Amino acid sequence: MRRGHRPSAPASGRPRFWGRHAVTAALANPDRTVRKMWGTREALSALNVPPVIPVTFADVADLGRLVPSDAPHQGLVIEVDPLPDIWLGDLLEQGRDDRRPLIVLDQVTDPHNVGAVLRSAAAFDALGIVTQDRHAPPESGALARSASGALEQVPWVRVVNLARALDEIAEAGFWRVGLTGHAKQTLGETIGTNRIALVLGAEGEGMRANTEAHCDELAKLPISPRVESLNISNAAAIALYAVATRDQGAG
């Protein structure tokens, strides 16, 4: 089977994560390599840290200097290697026998939004998310914090060419639904009974024309005219809920 498109280059540098959820999820992920750890004695006493990880006891002020100002580190900071690359073909093969939805993000660059989408993807048991490698944020403390542990749980595929990736997603049996405010039909009217790949564009710009052209349907959420649009992470959560309730009703 064709395995799909890998990123053109690996992410550079080692990000630092902070906060209890991001740190404990990273420690629990067998695919994650934690290189260094800093923490207060109180915070570290609640964790079972593998002995191979170098640990430095630090006070709150010292930890504050390791992360962006005002970052809510909760007494824990780690330095990690980025997760290994995932092939799109491998992810599609993993979901071959189930109906888990897939999320595709078109040039969504805000790490808080991507983190929140990952969190919703975990909550609704999505197969994974797909982004471009050059127009998506790298792993970072802010993204991991927003994901609240989901960065370690939800497969994240980075591809060079999103249009080609959408073609491969269609070949795997997914119905590609692009969410956009100018669509004629609502998501409920277009969702059908197919396996769903939800495609969302950046706030403001929305999906690019070539991305829309690689969707099977365009759909909108039935929001009030008093609101122009929703935050992308809110839209993703609502769309994932619609897919989940449809599948529960079918079952």
Side-chain angles (χ1 to χ4, degrees), residues 159-185:
V159 299
V160 174
N161 188 303
L162 199 63
R164 286 207 306 266
L166 284 166
D167 285 341
E168 188 173 350
I169 288 166
E171 290 169 10
F174 283 86
W175 190 249
R176 303 160 301 178
V177 178
L179 291 181
T180 176
H182 66 254
K184 299 285 194 295
Q185 294 182 301

Side-chain angles (χ1 to χ4, degrees), residues 19 24 50 55 59 63 68 71 82 111 114 136 152 156 189-190 197 202 208 213 224 243:
T24 55
V55 175
D59 60 26
L63 294 173
V114 175
E152 313 297 331
W156 179 359
E189 292 168 334
T190 61
R208 290 169 299 158
S224 165
V243 174

Side-chain angles (χ1 to χ4, degrees), residues 13-16 26-27 32-38 50-56 77-82:
R14 289 178 179 163
R16 285 179 181 171
L27 291 172
R32 174 71 75 182
T33 299
V34 179
R35 294 293 183 177
K36 300 177 184 177
M37 186 169 193
W38 300 265
V52 296
I53 299 175
V55 175
T56 301
V77 179
I78 55 174
E79 188 171 277
V80 303
D81 287 347

Side-chain angles (χ1 to χ4, degrees), residues 63-235:
L63 294 173
R65 287 188 280 272
L66 295 172
V67 297
S69 60
D70 300 324
H73 56 69
Q74 298 176 303
L76 294 169
V77 179
I78 55 174
E79 188 171 277
V80 303
D81 287 347
L83 289 171
D85 295 337
I86 301 172
W87 291 84
L88 177 58
D90 288 344
L91 179 66
L92 295 173
E93 180 67 17
Q94 289 172 25
R96 183 181 62 178
D97 298 324
D98 62 53
R99 289 174 58 80
R100 285 178 290 169
L102 190 62
I103 300 176
V104 181
L105 301 181
D106 183 20
Q107 298 195 334
V108 178
T109 58
D110 187 299
H112 299 93
N113 280 337
V114 175
V117 170
L118 281 164
R119 188 174 185 178
S120 294
F124 291 103
D125 195 27
L127 177 60
I129 74 168
V130 179
T131 69
Q132 286 178 293
D133 59 344
R134 293 194 175 196
H135 299 284
E139 292 185 25
S140 67
L143 191 151
R145 171 76 180 178
S146 296
S148 192
L151 176 60
E152 313 297 331
Q153 300 163 350
V154 178
W156 179 359
V157 175
R158 296 170 180 269
V159 299
V160 174
N161 188 303
L162 199 63
R164 286 207 306 266
L166 284 166
D167 285 341
E168 188 173 350
I169 288 166
E171 290 169 10
F174 283 86
W175 190 249
R176 303 160 301 178
V177 178
L179 291 181
T180 176
H182 66 254
K184 299 285 194 295
Q185 294 182 301
T186 65
L187 180 61
E189 292 168 334
T190 61
I191 205 168
T193 59
N194 301 284
R195 300 170 69 205
I196 297 294
L198 297 165
V199 188
L200 298 96
E203 285 186 59
E205 298 86 358
M207 281 182 292
R208 290 169 299 158
N210 192 41
T211 303
E212 287 194 6
H214 283 79
C215 292
D216 298 296
E217 296 262 15
L218 298 179
K220 62 185 177 181
L221 298 176
I223 62 174
S224 165
R226 292 178 293 178
V227 178
E228 182 180 350
S229 63
L230 290 175
N231 175 283
I232 184 173
S233 60
N234 290 336

